[in-house]
Amino acid sequence: MEPSQSGEPLVVIDHVNKHFGELHVLKDITTTVGRGEVVVVIGPSGSGKSTLCRAINRLETIDDGTITIDGVALPEEGKGLAKLRADVGMVFQSFNLFAHKTVLENVTLGPRKVRGQSKAVADKHAMELLDRVGVANQASKMPSQLSGGQQQRVAIARVLAMDPKLILLDEPTSALDPEMISEVLDVMVQLAHDGMTMVVVTHEMGFARKAANRVLFMADGEIVEEAKPEQFFTDPQSSRAKDFLSKIL
Ligand code: ADP
Ligand code: MG
Protein backbone atom coordinates (compact mmCIF):
# COMPACT_ATOMS: atom_id res chain seq x y z
CA MET A 1 0.00 0.00 0.00
CA GLU A 2 1.40 3.37 -0.97
CA PRO A 3 0.74 6.38 1.25
CA SER A 4 -0.69 9.47 -0.36
CA GLN A 5 2.28 11.69 -0.98
CA SER A 6 0.45 14.95 -1.32
CA GLY A 7 2.28 18.03 -0.15
CA GLU A 8 5.10 18.29 2.36
CA PRO A 9 6.14 15.33 4.47
CA LEU A 10 4.50 15.35 7.91
CA VAL A 11 7.81 14.97 9.73
CA VAL A 12 11.11 16.42 8.51
CA ILE A 13 14.22 15.45 10.46
CA ASP A 14 17.24 17.37 9.27
CA HIS A 15 20.85 16.77 10.38
CA VAL A 16 19.91 15.95 13.96
CA ASN A 17 22.60 15.20 16.51
CA LYS A 18 22.21 14.15 20.11
CA HIS A 19 24.75 13.32 22.80
CA PHE A 20 24.37 11.84 26.24
CA GLY A 21 27.57 13.18 27.77
CA GLU A 22 30.37 11.75 25.66
CA LEU A 23 28.07 9.30 23.91
CA HIS A 24 27.00 10.39 20.42
CA VAL A 25 23.60 8.67 20.21
CA LEU A 26 22.09 10.34 17.13
CA LYS A 27 24.60 11.05 14.39
CA ASP A 28 23.47 13.46 11.72
CA ILE A 29 20.04 11.91 11.31
CA THR A 30 18.19 13.12 8.22
CA THR A 31 14.92 11.59 7.06
CA THR A 32 11.25 12.33 6.53
CA VAL A 33 7.93 10.69 7.30
CA GLY A 34 5.26 11.26 4.70
CA ARG A 35 1.58 11.73 5.44
CA GLY A 36 0.00 8.32 5.87
CA GLU A 37 3.37 6.65 5.77
CA VAL A 38 4.35 3.79 8.09
CA VAL A 39 8.06 3.77 8.90
CA VAL A 40 9.48 0.81 10.80
CA VAL A 41 12.73 1.47 12.68
CA ILE A 42 14.87 -1.54 13.43
CA GLY A 43 18.39 -2.04 14.69
CA PRO A 44 20.42 -3.46 17.56
CA SER A 45 19.83 -2.48 21.15
CA GLY A 46 21.47 0.85 21.97
CA SER A 47 21.47 2.09 18.37
CA GLY A 48 19.36 5.17 19.19
CA LYS A 49 15.87 4.05 18.10
CA SER A 50 14.12 5.13 21.30
CA THR A 51 16.07 8.37 21.46
CA LEU A 52 14.98 9.20 17.91
CA CYS A 53 11.31 8.55 18.77
CA ARG A 54 11.59 10.54 21.97
CA ALA A 55 13.22 13.42 20.11
CA ILE A 56 10.28 13.57 17.66
CA ASN A 57 7.97 13.95 20.65
CA ARG A 58 10.45 16.22 22.37
CA LEU A 59 10.72 13.93 25.35
CA GLU A 60 14.44 14.39 24.58
CA THR A 61 16.11 17.60 23.46
CA ILE A 62 18.45 17.56 20.47
CA ASP A 63 21.87 19.23 20.28
CA ASP A 64 21.58 20.50 16.73
CA GLY A 65 19.66 20.02 13.54
CA THR A 66 15.91 20.52 13.22
CA ILE A 67 12.73 18.49 13.49
CA THR A 68 9.53 19.92 12.05
CA ILE A 69 6.05 18.44 12.26
CA ASP A 70 3.49 19.64 9.78
CA GLY A 71 5.81 22.49 8.89
CA VAL A 72 6.29 23.68 12.47
CA ALA A 73 9.58 23.39 14.37
CA LEU A 74 9.33 21.50 17.65
CA PRO A 75 8.35 23.93 20.39
CA GLU A 76 10.57 24.41 23.43
CA GLU A 77 7.94 24.60 26.12
CA GLY A 78 4.52 25.84 27.18
CA LYS A 79 1.33 25.60 25.16
CA GLY A 80 3.13 24.62 22.00
CA LEU A 81 4.64 21.63 23.73
CA ALA A 82 1.28 20.49 25.10
CA LYS A 83 -0.15 20.73 21.59
CA LEU A 84 2.77 18.77 20.18
CA ARG A 85 2.26 15.98 22.70
CA ALA A 86 -1.42 15.85 21.74
CA ASP A 87 -0.64 15.81 18.02
CA VAL A 88 2.14 13.25 18.32
CA GLY A 89 0.95 10.26 20.30
CA MET A 90 3.38 7.83 21.85
CA VAL A 91 2.90 4.19 22.78
CA PHE A 92 5.58 2.69 25.00
CA GLN A 93 6.72 -0.85 25.63
CA SER A 94 5.43 -0.62 29.20
CA PHE A 95 1.85 0.58 28.40
CA ASN A 96 2.08 3.47 30.93
CA LEU A 97 -1.64 3.57 31.69
CA PHE A 98 -2.79 5.54 34.74
CA ALA A 99 -3.09 2.77 37.34
CA HIS A 100 -5.71 4.51 39.47
CA LYS A 101 -8.09 5.35 36.65
CA THR A 102 -10.48 3.08 34.82
CA VAL A 103 -9.87 2.07 31.23
CA LEU A 104 -12.50 4.55 30.08
CA GLU A 105 -11.00 7.37 32.17
CA ASN A 106 -7.56 6.60 30.77
CA VAL A 107 -8.91 7.24 27.29
CA THR A 108 -11.03 10.32 28.10
CA LEU A 109 -8.56 12.21 30.30
CA GLY A 110 -6.54 13.76 27.48
CA PRO A 111 -9.49 14.77 25.29
CA ARG A 112 -11.21 16.38 28.27
CA LYS A 113 -8.17 18.19 29.68
CA VAL A 114 -6.23 19.07 26.53
CA ARG A 115 -8.91 19.15 23.84
CA GLY A 116 -11.60 20.55 26.17
CA GLN A 117 -14.22 17.93 25.31
CA SER A 118 -17.32 17.45 27.46
CA LYS A 119 -17.61 14.19 29.41
CA ALA A 120 -20.44 13.00 27.15
CA VAL A 121 -18.52 13.64 23.94
CA ALA A 122 -15.27 12.19 25.29
CA ASP A 123 -17.01 9.09 26.69
CA LYS A 124 -18.82 8.39 23.43
CA HIS A 125 -15.67 8.73 21.33
CA ALA A 126 -13.66 6.66 23.84
CA MET A 127 -16.17 3.82 23.70
CA GLU A 128 -15.99 3.81 19.90
CA LEU A 129 -12.19 3.62 20.08
CA LEU A 130 -12.20 0.90 22.74
CA ASP A 131 -14.54 -1.02 20.49
CA ARG A 132 -12.23 -0.49 17.53
CA VAL A 133 -9.30 -2.03 19.46
CA GLY A 134 -11.52 -4.80 20.82
CA VAL A 135 -11.70 -3.95 24.52
CA ALA A 136 -15.01 -2.06 24.88
CA ASN A 137 -16.20 -4.66 27.38
CA GLN A 138 -13.28 -3.74 29.69
CA ALA A 139 -14.16 -0.02 29.91
CA SER A 140 -15.07 0.10 33.59
CA LYS A 141 -12.15 -2.03 34.78
CA MET A 142 -8.85 -0.88 36.24
CA PRO A 143 -5.75 -1.45 34.05
CA SER A 144 -4.34 -4.07 36.44
CA GLN A 145 -7.39 -6.26 35.76
CA LEU A 146 -6.47 -6.47 32.06
CA SER A 147 -3.95 -8.64 30.26
CA GLY A 148 -0.86 -6.98 28.82
CA GLY A 149 -2.27 -7.20 25.32
CA GLN A 150 -5.51 -5.56 26.42
CA GLN A 151 -3.62 -2.81 28.27
CA GLN A 152 -1.53 -2.06 25.21
CA ARG A 153 -4.67 -1.83 23.08
CA VAL A 154 -6.11 0.62 25.62
CA ALA A 155 -2.88 2.62 25.34
CA ILE A 156 -3.39 2.77 21.57
CA ALA A 157 -7.03 3.86 22.03
CA ARG A 158 -5.85 6.55 24.45
CA VAL A 159 -3.48 7.93 21.83
CA LEU A 160 -6.15 7.76 19.11
CA ALA A 161 -8.57 9.69 21.32
CA MET A 162 -6.39 12.77 20.86
CA ASP A 163 -6.86 12.54 17.10
CA PRO A 164 -3.09 12.62 16.56
CA LYS A 165 -1.31 13.53 13.35
CA LEU A 166 1.34 10.92 14.04
CA ILE A 167 1.77 7.97 16.37
CA LEU A 168 5.16 6.81 17.62
CA LEU A 169 5.21 3.23 18.88
CA ASP A 170 8.41 2.17 20.66
CA GLU A 171 8.62 -1.62 20.82
CA PRO A 172 4.90 -1.86 21.60
CA THR A 173 4.86 -5.66 21.76
CA SER A 174 8.22 -6.34 23.42
CA ALA A 175 6.80 -6.65 26.93
CA LEU A 176 3.95 -8.93 25.90
CA ASP A 177 3.56 -12.66 26.31
CA PRO A 178 3.84 -14.29 22.87
CA GLU A 179 0.14 -15.14 22.58
CA MET A 180 -0.79 -11.48 23.01
CA ILE A 181 1.53 -10.03 20.41
CA SER A 182 -0.69 -10.65 17.42
CA GLU A 183 -3.75 -8.98 18.94
CA VAL A 184 -1.75 -5.76 19.27
CA LEU A 185 -0.07 -6.10 15.87
CA ASP A 186 -3.49 -6.65 14.27
CA VAL A 187 -4.66 -3.30 15.66
CA MET A 188 -1.50 -1.63 14.35
CA VAL A 189 -1.97 -3.16 10.90
CA GLN A 190 -5.54 -1.88 10.88
CA LEU A 191 -4.35 1.63 11.79
CA ALA A 192 -1.81 1.48 8.99
CA HIS A 193 -4.52 0.47 6.51
CA ASP A 194 -6.71 3.30 7.79
CA GLY A 195 -3.97 5.73 6.76
CA MET A 196 -2.51 6.66 10.14
CA THR A 197 1.02 8.03 9.97
CA MET A 198 3.19 5.87 12.20
CA VAL A 199 6.79 5.45 13.25
CA VAL A 200 7.15 1.98 14.75
CA VAL A 201 10.22 0.63 16.49
CA THR A 202 9.78 -3.14 16.33
CA HIS A 203 11.54 -6.36 15.54
CA GLU A 204 8.28 -7.90 14.35
CA MET A 205 9.22 -8.54 10.76
CA GLY A 206 5.76 -9.84 9.90
CA PHE A 207 4.36 -6.43 10.80
CA ALA A 208 7.07 -4.66 8.84
CA ARG A 209 6.37 -6.74 5.74
CA LYS A 210 2.62 -6.27 6.04
CA ALA A 211 2.36 -2.64 7.01
CA ALA A 212 5.61 -0.72 6.52
CA ASN A 213 6.16 1.56 3.57
CA ARG A 214 9.81 1.93 4.53
CA VAL A 215 12.32 0.39 6.91
CA LEU A 216 14.98 2.48 8.63
CA PHE A 217 17.87 0.39 9.87
CA MET A 218 19.85 2.11 12.63
CA ALA A 219 23.18 1.11 14.12
CA ASP A 220 25.46 3.12 16.42
CA GLY A 221 23.31 6.24 16.19
CA GLU A 222 23.23 6.34 12.39
CA ILE A 223 20.66 5.50 9.77
CA VAL A 224 22.64 2.85 7.93
CA GLU A 225 19.96 1.80 5.46
CA GLU A 226 16.57 3.01 4.31
CA ALA A 227 14.59 0.75 2.02
CA LYS A 228 11.24 -0.78 1.23
CA PRO A 229 10.65 -3.81 3.48
CA GLU A 230 10.77 -6.44 0.74
CA GLN A 231 14.04 -5.00 -0.49
CA PHE A 232 15.55 -4.64 2.97
CA PHE A 233 14.68 -8.15 4.14
CA THR A 234 15.66 -9.95 0.96
CA ASP A 235 18.66 -7.88 -0.08
CA PRO A 236 20.17 -5.81 2.74
CA GLN A 237 23.10 -3.75 1.47
CA SER A 238 25.32 -3.20 4.49
CA SER A 239 27.23 -5.80 6.46
CA ARG A 240 25.70 -4.46 9.67
CA ALA A 241 22.17 -5.02 8.39
CA LYS A 242 23.07 -8.49 7.08
CA ASP A 243 24.57 -9.36 10.45
CA PHE A 244 21.54 -8.03 12.35
CA LEU A 245 19.04 -9.84 10.15
CA SER A 246 20.94 -13.12 10.44
CA LYS A 247 20.42 -12.90 14.21
CA ILE A 248 16.73 -12.09 14.28
CA LEU A 249 15.28 -13.94 11.28
P1 ADP B 1 17.66 1.75 21.41
O1 ADP B 1 16.27 2.23 21.64
O2 ADP B 1 18.02 1.61 19.97
O3 ADP B 1 17.97 0.51 22.18
P2 ADP B 1 18.38 4.12 22.90
O4 ADP B 1 17.93 5.26 22.07
O5 ADP B 1 17.54 3.75 24.06
O6 ADP B 1 18.65 2.86 21.96
O7 ADP B 1 19.82 4.41 23.46
C1 ADP B 1 20.90 4.83 22.65
C2 ADP B 1 22.13 4.98 23.52
O8 ADP B 1 21.93 6.07 24.41
C3 ADP B 1 22.43 3.76 24.40
O9 ADP B 1 23.82 3.62 24.47
C4 ADP B 1 21.84 4.15 25.72
O10 ADP B 1 22.52 3.49 26.76
C5 ADP B 1 22.08 5.64 25.75
N1 ADP B 1 21.07 6.37 26.53
C6 ADP B 1 19.73 6.35 26.34
N2 ADP B 1 19.10 7.17 27.19
C7 ADP B 1 20.07 7.74 27.97
C8 ADP B 1 20.06 8.66 29.03
N3 ADP B 1 18.92 9.23 29.47
N4 ADP B 1 21.26 9.00 29.59
C9 ADP B 1 22.40 8.47 29.13
N5 ADP B 1 22.48 7.59 28.13
C10 ADP B 1 21.33 7.21 27.54
MG1 MG C 1 14.69 1.36 22.68
Coordinates of all heavy atoms in Angstrom, one line a residue, residues 39-73:
V39 N 6.6 4.0 8.9 CA 8.1 3.8 8.9 C 8.4 2.9 10.1 O 8.1 3.1 11.2 CB 8.8 5.1 9.0 CG1 10.3 4.8 9.2 CG2 8.5 6.0 7.8
V40 N 9.0 1.7 9.8 CA 9.5 0.8 10.8 C 11.0 1.0 11.0 O 11.8 1.1 10.1 CB 9.2 -0.6 10.4 CG1 10.0 -1.6 11.2 CG2 7.7 -0.9 10.6
V41 N 11.3 1.2 12.3 CA 12.7 1.5 12.7 C 13.2 0.2 13.3 O 12.7 -0.3 14.3 CB 12.9 2.7 13.6 CG1 14.3 2.9 14.0 CG2 12.2 3.9 13.1
I42 N 14.3 -0.4 12.8 CA 14.9 -1.5 13.4 C 16.4 -1.3 13.6 O 17.0 -0.4 13.0 CB 14.6 -2.8 12.6 CG1 15.4 -2.9 11.4 CG2 13.1 -3.0 12.3 CD1 15.3 -4.3 10.7
G43 N 17.0 -2.1 14.5 CA 18.4 -2.0 14.7 C 18.7 -2.6 16.1 O 17.8 -2.8 16.9
P44 N 20.0 -2.9 16.3 CA 20.4 -3.5 17.6 C 20.1 -2.6 18.8 O 19.9 -1.4 18.6 CB 21.9 -3.6 17.4 CG 22.3 -3.3 16.0 CD 21.1 -2.6 15.4
S45 N 20.0 -3.2 19.9 CA 19.8 -2.5 21.2 C 20.9 -1.4 21.3 O 22.1 -1.7 21.0 CB 19.9 -3.5 22.3 OG 19.7 -2.9 23.5
G46 N 20.5 -0.2 21.7 CA 21.5 0.8 22.0 C 21.8 1.7 20.7 O 22.6 2.5 20.8
S47 N 21.1 1.4 19.6 CA 21.5 2.1 18.4 C 20.8 3.5 18.3 O 21.1 4.2 17.3 CB 21.1 1.2 17.2 OG 19.7 0.9 17.2
G48 N 19.9 3.8 19.2 CA 19.4 5.2 19.2 C 17.9 5.2 18.7 O 17.4 6.3 18.6
K49 N 17.3 4.1 18.6 CA 15.9 4.1 18.1 C 14.9 4.8 19.0 O 14.1 5.6 18.6 CB 15.4 2.6 17.9 CG 16.3 1.8 17.1 CD 15.9 0.3 16.9 CE 15.7 -0.4 18.2 NZ 17.0 -0.7 18.9
S50 N 15.0 4.5 20.3 CA 14.1 5.1 21.3 C 14.4 6.6 21.4 O 13.5 7.4 21.5 CB 14.3 4.5 22.7 OG 13.8 3.2 22.7
T51 N 15.7 7.0 21.4 CA 16.1 8.4 21.5 C 15.5 9.1 20.3 O 15.0 10.3 20.4 CB 17.6 8.5 21.5 OG1 18.1 7.7 22.6 CG2 18.0 10.0 21.7
L52 N 15.5 8.5 19.1 CA 15.0 9.2 17.9 C 13.5 9.4 18.1 O 13.0 10.5 17.9 CB 15.3 8.4 16.7 CG 14.7 8.9 15.3 CD1 15.3 10.3 15.0 CD2 14.9 8.0 14.2
C53 N 12.8 8.4 18.5 CA 11.3 8.6 18.8 C 11.1 9.6 19.8 O 10.2 10.5 19.6 CB 10.7 7.3 19.3 SG 10.3 6.1 18.1
R54 N 11.8 9.6 20.9 CA 11.6 10.5 22.0 C 11.9 12.0 21.5 O 11.3 12.9 22.0 CB 12.4 10.1 23.2 CG 11.9 8.8 23.8 CD 12.8 8.2 24.9 NE 13.1 9.2 26.0 CZ 12.2 9.3 27.0 NH1 11.2 8.5 27.1 NH2 12.5 10.2 27.9
A55 N 12.9 12.1 20.6 CA 13.2 13.4 20.1 C 12.1 14.0 19.3 O 11.8 15.2 19.3 CB 14.5 13.4 19.3
I56 N 11.4 13.1 18.5 CA 10.3 13.6 17.7 C 9.1 14.1 18.5 O 8.4 15.0 18.2 CB 9.8 12.4 16.7 CG1 10.9 12.0 15.7 CG2 8.5 12.8 16.0 CD1 10.6 10.8 14.9
N57 N 9.0 13.5 19.7 CA 8.0 13.9 20.7 C 8.5 15.0 21.6 O 7.8 15.4 22.5 CB 7.5 12.7 21.4 CG 6.1 12.9 21.9 OD1 5.4 13.8 21.5 ND2 5.7 12.0 22.8
R58 N 9.7 15.3 21.5 CA 10.5 16.2 22.4 C 10.4 15.8 23.8 O 10.4 16.6 24.8 CB 10.0 17.7 22.3 CG 11.1 18.6 22.4 CD 10.8 20.1 22.5 NE 12.0 20.8 22.8 CZ 12.5 20.9 24.0 NH1 12.0 20.2 25.0 NH2 13.6 21.6 24.3
L59 N 10.4 14.5 24.0 CA 10.7 13.9 25.3 C 12.2 14.0 25.6 O 12.7 13.9 26.7 CB 10.2 12.5 25.5 CG 8.7 12.3 25.5 CD1 8.3 10.8 25.4 CD2 8.1 12.9 26.8
E60 N 13.0 14.1 24.5 CA 14.4 14.4 24.6 C 14.7 15.6 23.8 O 14.1 15.8 22.7 CB 15.3 13.3 23.9 CG 15.2 11.9 24.6 CD 15.9 11.8 25.9 OE1 16.5 12.8 26.4 OE2 15.8 10.7 26.5
T61 N 15.6 16.5 24.3 CA 16.1 17.6 23.5 C 17.1 17.1 22.4 O 17.7 16.0 22.6 CB 16.8 18.6 24.4 OG1 17.9 18.0 25.0 CG2 15.8 19.2 25.4
I62 N 17.4 17.9 21.4 CA 18.4 17.6 20.5 C 19.5 18.6 20.6 O 19.2 19.8 21.0 CB 17.9 17.4 19.0 CG1 17.1 18.6 18.6 CG2 17.1 16.2 18.9 CD1 16.7 18.6 17.1
D63 N 20.7 18.3 20.2 CA 21.9 19.2 20.3 C 21.9 20.2 19.1 O 22.1 21.4 19.3 CB 23.2 18.5 20.3 CG 23.3 17.6 21.5 OD1 22.5 17.8 22.5 OD2 24.1 16.6 21.5
D64 N 21.7 19.6 17.9 CA 21.6 20.5 16.7 C 20.8 19.8 15.6 O 20.4 18.6 15.8 CB 23.0 21.0 16.2 CG 23.9 19.8 16.0 OD1 23.6 18.9 15.2 OD2 25.0 19.8 16.7
G65 N 20.6 20.5 14.6 CA 19.7 20.0 13.5 C 18.2 20.5 13.9 O 18.0 21.2 14.9
T66 N 17.3 20.1 13.0 CA 15.9 20.5 13.2 C 15.0 19.4 13.0 O 15.2 18.5 12.2 CB 15.5 21.7 12.3 OG1 15.7 21.2 10.9 CG2 16.3 22.9 12.5
I67 N 13.8 19.4 13.7 CA 12.7 18.5 13.5 C 11.5 19.4 13.3 O 11.2 20.2 14.2 CB 12.5 17.5 14.7 CG1 13.8 16.7 14.9 CG2 11.3 16.6 14.4 CD1 13.7 15.7 16.1
T68 N 10.8 19.2 12.2 CA 9.5 19.9 12.1 C 8.4 18.9 11.9 O 8.6 17.9 11.3 CB 9.5 20.9 10.9 OG1 9.8 20.1 9.7 CG2 10.6 22.0 11.0
I69 N 7.2 19.3 12.4 CA 6.1 18.4 12.3 C 5.0 19.3 11.7 O 4.6 20.4 12.2 CB 5.6 17.8 13.6 CG1 6.7 16.9 14.1 CG2 4.3 17.1 13.5 CD1 6.5 16.2 15.4
D70 N 4.5 18.9 10.5 CA 3.5 19.6 9.8 C 4.0 21.1 9.6 O 3.2 22.0 9.7 CB 2.2 19.6 10.6 CG 1.0 19.5 9.6 OD1 1.2 19.4 8.4 OD2 -0.2 19.3 10.2
G71 N 5.3 21.2 9.2 CA 5.8 22.5 8.9 C 6.2 23.4 10.1 O 6.7 24.5 9.9
V72 N 6.0 22.9 11.3 CA 6.3 23.7 12.5 C 7.5 23.1 13.2 O 7.4 21.9 13.5 CB 5.0 23.8 13.4 CG1 5.3 24.6 14.6 CG2 3.8 24.3 12.6
A73 N 8.5 23.9 13.6 CA 9.6 23.4 14.4 C 9.1 23.0 15.8 O 8.1 23.5 16.3 CB 10.6 24.5 14.5

